[in-house]
Amino acid sequence: MRSNENYLPYIATAALLTLAIFISFQVFILHEPARITAAETYHNNAAVAAGKDLYTKNCATCHGLDGEGSDAPALNSRQFLNTTDDGTIFSVVSSGVPNTEMPAWNQSHGGPLTDEDIKNVVAFIRSWQPTAPEITVTVRAGDASKGAAIFNGTCIVCHGQNGKGTSRAPALNDQSRLHQFNDSWYRDTIMNGRPSKGMPTWGTVLSPEQVNDLLALIDQWRNAPPSQPQPAATPTPAVAPLPTPTAAITQGSAVTATGGTAASGNIARPSNPGGGGPALSLVGNVTAGSQVYAEQCKRCHGAAGQGGINNPGSNDGTIPPLNPIDDTLVNADPKVFAYNIDLFIEHGSTPSGTNPKETMPAWGDQHKLTPQQIADVIAYVISLNKK
Ligand code: HEC
Ligand code: HEC
Ligand code: HEC
C-alpha cells in the first residue's frame, strides 16, 4: 500500500511563488510612474536642449540670452509664463506679429523653423517658468493710440471708420454694447473671434500687447462723453494721434468730409471675408513674383496685368486688369497697398453679376500658393503699378 503522498511542500512552494510574483508585480507597478516620469523628463530635457540652441541662435538678439528682454519684450517673466499656454506661444512664434519686429518663424508662414523646432523652443521658454522673476512690465498696459493704429490697419475694413460699423460687421463703438460687456468679454471675443459668423480669430495673429492696445481703444470709446456729438467735418476725434501711415488705409480717401457711411460701398474689397495673411510679414521678390504671375495669374489677368480677358455673366464683362489696378486698391504706403492686394489673393472673390464664369481663387486659404509666393506676386503687382 502506498503511503499517503505529502503535497504540503508543493502547495507551500506554489503559494510562495504566487506571492513572490504578486509582490514583484506590485513593486513593478510602484516603480512604473517613476519610470514614465524619468522617460518624460529625458524626452523633455532633450527638447529643452534643442530649443536652447535654436533660441540662442535666433531669438536672443532681440529677447535677450535668458529671455530678459531688450529690444523685444521679456519672455522670462512669471506673469507671461503663468498666463500664456504653450499653444499660444507656439502660434505667436509661428506667425510672428505683423507690423512689428517679430518675424514669422514657422515654415508654414515662410519662416526657417519646423513645427518640431518651434515646439522645442517653446519647451525651452517653458523651462524658465519655475524660476521666472516677476517682471511687471512684460505685457505693457494698453495704449489707445496704438490700438487705433491697429484698428485702422486691421479691423476698419469690416467695423468701419472709428468703429461705427459697415455692411460687413456691426458697430463696435456702440455705447449700449460697450457698457453691457467688460474688458475680459472683449478680450475673449477678439482672441477667439466668431469664425462661423465672419469675425476672424485674432488670438493667433495679434500679440497680447496688441490686444491690450485694442482694449484701451475700446475703453476710450466707452468713456467718451455721452453727449459729445460726432462732428462730421472733424476727422475721427477719438483716434487723433495716429502714429502710423497705416491709418490712412483706403477708407481714408473714401470717407468723405460729410462722414457718410456709404463709403464702404466704394471700396474694392474681395467678396470673401478674412484679414491679411502671413505673406504680409515677408519681403517679396519682384522677379520671383513675375514667374508666379506668368504661371498662375496671366491666363485671367492678361500679360503684364493688362487685362482684357472676357468674363461672361459678370457685370464688368471682363476680368479686372491689374495694370493699372483699380485705384481704390492703390495706396501711397506700400504696406497698405500690399494689404489691399493680399486680401484678394488670400481669400479669393466672386465678381458681382448673375453667373460670372471666372472667379478669383482663394490662393492663400486653399494653400495653392505659399506665403512667400504670395509676397512675391504682390511685389510684382505693385511694381507694375509704379509709374
Ligand atoms: C528682430 C527682433 C526679434 C527676434 C529675432 C525675435 N523676436 Fe519675438 N518679438 C519681437 C518683438 C518686437 C515682439 C513684440 C511684438 C509686439 O509689439 O507685440 C516680440 C514678441 C514675441 C512674443 C510674444 C511676447 C508677448 O509678450 O506678447 C514671443 C513669444 C516671441 N516674440 C518669441 C520669439 C522667439 C521664440 C523668437 C526666436 C525663434 C523670437 N521671438 C525672435 C522681436 C523679435
Ligand atoms: C472680415 C471682417 C472682420 C474683421 C476684419 C474684424 N471683424 Fe470683428 N466682427 C466681424 C463680424 C461679422 C462680427 C459679428 C459677428 C456676429 O454676428 O456674431 C464681428 C464682431 C466683433 C465683436 C463683437 C461685437 C459685439 O458687440 O458683439 C468685436 C468685439 C469685434 N468684432 C472686434 C474686432 C476687432 C478688434 C477687429 C480687428 C482686430 C475685428 N473685429 C476685425 C467681422 C470682422
Ligand atoms: C480664374 C481666373 C483668375 C485667376 C487665375 C486669377 N484671378 Fe485675380 N481675379 C479674378 C477675378 C474674376 C477678379 C474680380 C473679383 C471681383 O470682382 O470680386 C479678380 C480680382 C483680382 C484682384 C482685385 C482687382 C480688382 O480690381 O478688383 C487682384 C489684386 C487679383 N485678382 C490678383 C490676382 C493674382 C495676383 C493672381 C495670381 C496669383 C490672380 N489674381 C489669379 C480672376 C482670376
Side-chain angles (χ1 to χ4, degrees):
M1 195 180 145
R2 285 170 61 193
S3 60
N4 275 345
E5 290 186 35
N6 183 2
Y7 291 112
L8 202 61
Y10 298 103
I11 292 171
T13 312
L16 274 174
L17 272 175
T18 310
L19 193 67
I21 290 171
F22 183 72
I23 289 174
S24 54
F25 189 63
Q26 290 299 311
V27 169
F28 176 76
I29 293 226
L30 278 175
H31 279 259
E32 186 59 7
R35 201 185 60 79
I36 291 174
T37 315
E40 277 175 350
T41 310
Y42 176 77
H43 178 78
N44 192 48
N45 285 346
V48 168
K52 179 176 184 175
D53 214 40
L54 289 162
Y55 179 91
T56 310
K57 288 198 187 102
N58 297 298
C59 323
T61 44
C62 293
H63 289 286
L65 258 186
D66 298 307
E68 69 279 14
S70 54
D71 292 348
L75 302 175
N76 181 5
S77 133
R78 185 173 308 171
Q79 197 211 356
F80 172 74
L81 292 167
N82 286 352
T83 56
T84 317
D85 62 26
D86 286 1
T88 307
I89 302 180
F90 181 90
S91 47
V92 174
V93 177
S94 290
S95 62
V97 184
N99 303 319
T100 73
E101 293 282 290
M102 173 67 185
W105 291 97
N106 201 311
Q107 288 175 356
S108 69
H109 293 266
L113 304 184
T114 62
D115 279 1
E116 189 65 26
D117 289 340
I118 296 179
K119 279 188 193 142
N120 292 342
V121 172
V122 173
F124 176 58
I125 292 175
R126 183 60 68 197
S127 77
W128 290 325
Q129 188 163 8
T131 55
E134 288 299 346
I135 302 177
T136 37
V137 294
T138 320
V139 176
R140 65 171 163 68
D143 173 334
S145 69
K146 289 196 169 127
I150 298 163
F151 185 87
N152 289 331
T154 310
C155 324
I156 198 171
V157 174
C158 294
H159 289 289
Q161 187 86 357
N162 202 21
K164 293 298 187 189
T166 67
S167 56
R168 299 171 137 249
L172 299 182
N173 191 352
D174 165 339
Q175 287 302 323
S176 68
R177 299 290 281 177
L178 289 168
H179 287 279
Q180 188 177 350
F181 301 109
N182 61 12
D183 278 2
S184 86
W185 183 89
Y186 276 102
R187 184 190 302 278
D188 289 348
T189 307
I190 295 169
M191 303 270 285
N192 302 327
R194 294 182 197 144
S196 65
K197 298 200 167 148
M199 166 67 180
T201 302
W202 296 105
T204 53
V205 177
L206 300 174
S207 71
E209 296 189 333
Q210 290 179 307
V211 174
N212 279 355
D213 292 339
L214 284 166
L215 294 176
L217 171 69
I218 287 171
D219 202 46
Q220 193 178 65
W221 285 337
R222 187 183 283 127
N223 296 325
S227 61
Q228 190 191 36
Q230 291 287 335
T234 315
T236 59
V239 293
L242 293 171
T244 74
T246 318
I249 186 160
T250 52
Q251 227 86 352
S253 58
V255 171
T256 59
T258 59
T261 48
S264 56
N266 306 335
I267 300 170
R269 287 289 172 207
S271 60
N272 293 342
L280 294 174
S281 51
L282 304 175
V283 177
N285 176 293
V286 174
T287 316
S290 73
Q291 192 72 35
V292 175
Y293 185 88
E295 282 161 14
Q296 310 289 358
C297 323
K298 188 175 147 197
R299 70 187 171 91
C300 285
H301 291 287
Q306 302 280 318
I309 315 282
N310 286 336
N311 196 3
S314 72
N315 288 348
D316 287 348
T318 50
I319 296 176
L322 301 180
N323 174 21
I325 199 167
D326 190 304
D327 57 15
T328 55
L329 294 177
V330 179
N331 197 290
D333 178 350
K335 278 193 173 171
V336 179
F337 195 1
Y339 175 83
N340 291 343
I341 298 172
D342 181 62
L343 293 181
F344 279 90
I345 303 179
E346 289 297 334
H347 311 297
S349 191
T350 306
S352 48
T354 45
N355 187 16
K357 180 161 170 277
E358 302 290 0
T359 60
M360 169 69 179
W363 303 94
D365 291 348
Q366 293 174 8
H367 304 290
K368 290 178 172 170
L369 291 176
T370 65
Q372 187 60 55
Q373 288 174 312
I374 294 178
D376 294 342
V377 81
I378 290 175
Y380 173 69
V381 171
I382 291 179
S383 79
L384 290 177
N385 287 279
K386 232 172 236 157
K387 294 281 146 58

